[in-house]
Structure formats: structure tokens, C-alpha cells
Amino acid sequence: MSEDLNAQIREMMDLPAETECIEFKEVKNDYGFDKVGKYFSALSNEANLHGKPAGWLIFGVTDKLTRKIVGSNYRLTPPGLDRLKEEIAQHTNYRITFVAIHELAVDEKRVVMFEIPPAPRGVPTTWKGIAYGRSHDSLEPLALYEIEEIRRQAPLDDWSAKVCQGATYADLDPEAIAFAREKYKEKYQEKHRDRAKEVDEWDDLTFLTKAKVCSQGRITNTAVILLGKSEAASLLSPTIAHITWVLRDKDEIEVDYAHFGPPLILAVDRVFSKVRNLTVRYISGETLFPLEVTQYDPWVIREALHNCIAHQDYRQAARITVTERPGSLMFTNRGDFIPGTVQSVIERDMPSDQYRNPFLAGAMVELNMIDTIGSGIKRMFRIQRDRNFPMPDYDLDEESVVRVTIPGRLIDERYTRMLIERKDLTLMDVIALDKVQKGRPVTREERDVLREKKLIEGRSPNLYVSASVAAETDTRADYIRKRSFDRAYFKDMVVAYLQMYHEARRPEIEGLLLDKVSDALNEKQKREFIKSLLKEMRKEGAIVTVGKTRGAKWVLAPSSSKKV
């Protein structure tokens, strides 16, 4: 332990400057008790705001840029440091105090490291009624917006960890427990074979405790959700732990449905068996024979469903739903998308530091249902890309609802061949191009990257695949249709029409041009384009209007010499 702390303090000393969560003090002997309390409050709040596991107050190290170990005699004589935890707790809210106070010898000099817990979720840590914070190396009352930021945090109340009132071991399904044992052994088979072998020697209650499904031998809500008998679902009331599968046809008419209750560890495969996972064929360009793949990768379906189970807000008393439509599967669960954005999940190769149901998520990790490093969503995108299928779509527009759609058919086979040929594209490139293909908006950063790589053309929001990509994938006709013709071409058409028919109202000109304007524009945008074109021709002196606004007609200007 002391070796780890020695290494840790060396790393802290090597930082270019003190951070909001670390404070060095050259304390030889005494240091004001009130100052210690203020730093406790400040470092606790900053650890919360910066997502750190602890704040650190360190005595015996100079706080200058070039740090040195000088040692400290702080509270070296009785009563020493023993009573400091209790003394601090007397003046903080909720009697918060140090996680630990470490005394260690560094370069044969005494250093004291105070390990300070982050402020509890939703509650700033106060000292004598005041919440303190850091501004660079200054100690001052915590800013109002920072106080509000902490207060907006939902208090960590893990419903999934609570004991299910009235539930006993007899309410758990033996088949589900046996299946859970096999999944647990799968998880530890490679890295911890001894533990995997021991599983068969454990009785069920020992296994459930070690698998973090039960807590101290008591049946939790998690245990009933994952392993409970179907009739045990009533013990969770008023909350609901059900999955509903619905099949809809192309007209959104409900064709079939089924409900699945606990044990949800078994329900996942039962839902999977309902999905019509048909075979899709496409030409890869690498062979004359078509590739045959299923619409959906089994791992992706299970991962999406496992995520719904792990992150469902069960207290909203709503079902998890799987809606199957021709060519897609949509998974819906209740609760906010905690990471905030899908892009942040894709870009970060690290687990989320927050979970709605930490106890349930931990049990699902132990039972090999979800990945311990939290990379499941990113892997879903990679699998879809490797299969040359469209990317998953996350709909987060409705408050406290997450919808994930997994496409099960190709958008455009020629575009699919581009994915096969362009292995140089990053996952983020493919995700952005996927949005363009679907006509979805892209961010400015995504647009700039795609432009730099010459993958798209057009003006936002009407972007389309560029000529170079179209040429590679044989989508030239589609490219020309979306790129549209030069404005001069449309002006010549208007002039030719007026030379032949002498006059034209707006609807007649729109009828002439609408089907020739770029398909990258919608109907309203096409009409705006024609309006802008006519206004431009009037300013150029090529045409003029005759009559009142409602019945106005366009005619050639007397000075126009254009001919067919």
C-alpha cells in the first residue's frame, strides 16, 4: 500500500500545475484547523465536479512549480491524526469526513496525504454551512452555478439493489439459476479457471451472492428481474419488468405480439426466437457470387436488449418493447440516455462513470450479459459496418425514452459496395456518411471532415455523396440527379418557354422545372430555388412581371434578345 502511495505522490508531483482536486502544502508543524476544513469542502466539491474518485490535500511538499519533499510534523504528537476524522465530521453536512489519512515516508521524510471523498450526488459538501471550491490555486466559496450543477445531480438511489419485500429463494426459477451458472462460468473460463471450476461446488445462495445478484443472502429486485419465476413479477409491483415484442407490417398494422416477464435472463433468447431474421443477398464486387447474410447479427440483437434491461427505469412502470418492422428492429426503454450523446460513447474508449441501475448492471456483468468495459454500443456500430449494413439509429428526442433502431436491409447496394471497397474510412467517417445517405443532419465537425476527404458535396442541410465516391461506387446517375444542372440551364429553359408561349404564371414555370431541380432538395426547397431563379432573372433584365401579384405573369423583357 505504501509503495502504491509513493508512486501516486510522485505522479502528482510531476503534474505541470496543481489541479482543482490536488493541493500541496509546505506545512512544517501546525496548520489552522479551519483551513483544513475549508480545503476539505473545496476538494470534495471539485472532485465531484471533475468526476474524480477523490480529492487530495498533501502536507510536506512545496506548492511551487518545482516541487520538493520537505516533510511535515503536522499532528506528530498526541493525539496525533486519530481524532481528526471525527473533528472534521462535526462541522460538515451529513458528517462527511476523510476516506483515509495516510502517513508515509518519502525520501525518508514524513508526508501526510488526506484522501477526501467527492461530494455526494446532489449535495455540495459544506464546512460550517458554506460550500467551498477552487479557482486555480485560490480557495473561495463555491460559485453559484457550480452549486446548482451539483444539486441538479440525481441522488444515487439504486432501486435495483434494494431487497424485494416478500421475496424468498423459492421465488427464483431453477432453470434460470442453472443458466446463470453457465454464463458465470463462461465469463471466468479463460482468465480465472479456478473460479469457474469452483462454481459447481457452491450452493445456489453462495453462487447468487458471489455473482452479485443477491445481497448478503437477501433477494434483491435484481434477483427477481433476472432470475425470478414468472409469478414473482407481482412482487415488484408497482414497477414492471416485462419485454413486449410487436410485429408490424409496412402499413404499421400490428400483425403479432408476445409478452415476456421474469426471468429476463431467459426471456432474451425467447424474444430473439420471435424475430424473423431473414437472409439478405448482395454482390460484393469481389466475387461473381452473391454474399448471403442474415438481416441481423445475433450479438447485436442481444446487446441491444441487454442494454434495455440494464438501463431501464423500472420505476416508470413501463415495458421494454421490441418492434419488428419490415427491414428493421426498434428497441425502446424508459429513462434518459445517461452518456448524453451517442458520439461521446463511440469516441470514448472507457466505461461510463454512471449507471441508472448499478447493482443490476454489476450482476449482468458477472453473468456475462453485458461488457464490463462498457464498449457494447461501439461494438454494435463496428459489427454493422463490418457487415456493410447501415448504422444503428438512436432516437433521443423524447424525454426519458431511448429508442434504438437496427436496420436489417441495405439502403443502396452500390453504396454498400463503397463500404466494402473503402476500408480506409474510420468508424466516425462511416457513421457520418450513413447520416448523409439517410438524409439526416450532420454536425459541422462531421461535415468538415467529410468535405476535407472529398466524400460529400452540396450545401447544408442538402448534402450528398461526392462525385469521386459516386464514381467509385457506380452511383453516377444518382449523383447527377442530386447535383442538379447549372442555373444557366434553367434560365435558358424559362426563356425558351416564354419565347414559345409568350407568358407564364408561377405554377406553369414550376411545372416546367420542378422535376429537373436537384433531388437533394425537398419539395419546399425546390420551389424556393425556382422563386430565387426568377428573381435573379428579373434583376438581370431577362424577364419582367405583368399584372397584380396574385395573377401576375412572367414575360420576356423587351430588351431580351435570347433565342431558342
Side-chain angles (χ1 to χ4, degrees), residues 393-412:
D393 288 315
Y394 276 75
D395 179 0
L396 309 176
D397 290 341
E398 186 176 345
E399 187 176 356
S400 278
V401 178
V402 177
R403 295 185 178 91
V404 184
T405 299
I406 308 297
R409 64 183 175 193
L410 308 178
I411 296 177
D412 186 319

Side-chain angles (χ1 to χ4, degrees), residues 105-154:
V106 182
D107 295 342
E108 300 181 351
K109 295 175 182 176
R110 179 177 181 260
V111 172
V112 183
M113 298 178 68
F114 299 94
E115 186 174 355
I116 300 169
R121 292 176 58 82
V123 184
T125 298
T126 63
W127 175 254
K128 296 182 178 179
I130 298 175
Y132 289 89
R134 302 280 306 285
S135 178
H136 302 294
D137 58 353
S138 298
L139 181 68
E140 55 191 37
L142 195 63
L144 183 60
Y145 76 90
E146 292 176 314
I147 292 176
E148 290 304 314
E149 184 177 339
I150 294 176
R151 284 178 175 168
R152 283 195 300 267
Q153 298 168 354

Side-chain angles (χ1 to χ4, degrees), residues 14 28 31 76 108 110 171 177 260 323 471 478 503 509:
D14 288 339
K28 291 292 186 179
Y31 194 74
L76 187 58
E108 300 181 351
R110 179 177 181 260
D171 293 305
I177 294 175
F260 304 88
T323 306
D478 180 68
E503 63 183 27
I509 294 178

Side-chain angles (χ1 to χ4, degrees), residues 218-430:
R218 295 177 295 178
I219 307 300
T220 62
N221 290 328
T222 287
V224 177
I225 290 171
L226 296 180
L227 306 176
K229 294 177 179 177
S230 58
E231 57 268 26
S234 61
L235 296 170
L236 297 171
S237 182
T239 58
I240 296 175
H242 278 80
I243 302 171
T244 295
W245 166 81
V246 180
L247 176 65
R248 296 185 182 277
D249 65 14
K250 61 182 178 60
D251 298 317
E252 283 296 300
I253 296 174
E254 189 175 294
V255 177
D256 197 3
Y257 70 91
H259 300 301
F260 304 88
L264 294 192
I265 195 172
L266 299 181
V268 172
D269 279 343
R270 293 167 184 170
V271 173
F272 179 75
S273 68
K274 285 287 186 181
V275 173
R276 289 147 175 74
N277 200 1
L278 306 177
T279 299
V280 176
R281 297 175 179 84
Y282 61 88
I283 302 295
S284 70
E286 299 173 351
T287 173
L288 295 176
F289 298 98
L291 293 176
E292 294 189 355
V293 295
T294 56
Q295 284 183 288
Y296 311 106
D297 180 89
W299 188 93
V300 170
I301 294 179
R302 290 188 176 92
E303 176 67 13
L305 201 43
H306 287 155
N307 279 343
C308 287
I309 294 171
H311 300 295
Q312 170 83 340
D313 187 348
Y314 292 93
R315 285 171 289 192
Q316 290 194 35
R319 289 182 171 89
I320 295 167
T321 61
V322 180
T323 306
E324 182 177 352
R325 296 181 172 89
S328 72
L329 285 174
M330 184 173 73
F331 301 82
T332 304
N333 72 276
R334 293 301 182 99
D336 295 324
F337 188 68
I338 292 178
T341 66
V342 177
Q343 184 171 346
S344 67
V345 177
I346 301 296
E347 290 179 339
R348 288 180 5 169
D349 277 324
M350 63 180 66
S352 172
D353 54 4
Q354 294 183 35
Y355 295 94
R356 177 168 292 104
N357 306 301
F359 192 84
L360 173 59
M364 293 178 71
V365 167
E366 292 298 311
L367 299 181
N368 210 26
M369 296 175 71
I370 58 177
D371 196 334
T372 185
I373 62 171
S375 60
I377 292 177
K378 186 172 183 178
R379 185 177 172 189
M380 286 168 59
F381 277 80
R382 286 195 177 280
I383 288 175
Q384 287 292 99
R385 191 263 181 267
D386 291 343
R387 299 175 79 237
N388 305 305
F389 270 71
M391 297 289 101
D393 288 315
Y394 276 75
D395 179 0
L396 309 176
D397 290 341
E398 186 176 345
E399 187 176 356
S400 278
V401 178
V402 177
R403 295 185 178 91
V404 184
T405 299
I406 308 297
R409 64 183 175 193
L410 308 178
I411 296 177
D412 186 319
E413 189 166 303
R414 292 165 295 182
Y415 178 69
T416 300
R417 289 207 299 272
M418 184 271 289
L419 292 183
I420 295 171
E421 294 164 9
R422 292 292 301 270
K423 297 300 183 184
D424 60 306
L425 299 180
T426 68
L427 181 59
M428 298 308 297
D429 291 339
V430 174

Side-chain angles (χ1 to χ4, degrees), residues 494-506:
V494 172
V495 170
Y497 185 94
L498 294 177
Q499 285 181 332
M500 181 171 292
Y501 298 105
H502 307 298
E503 63 183 27
R505 291 186 173 87
R506 172 71 66 76

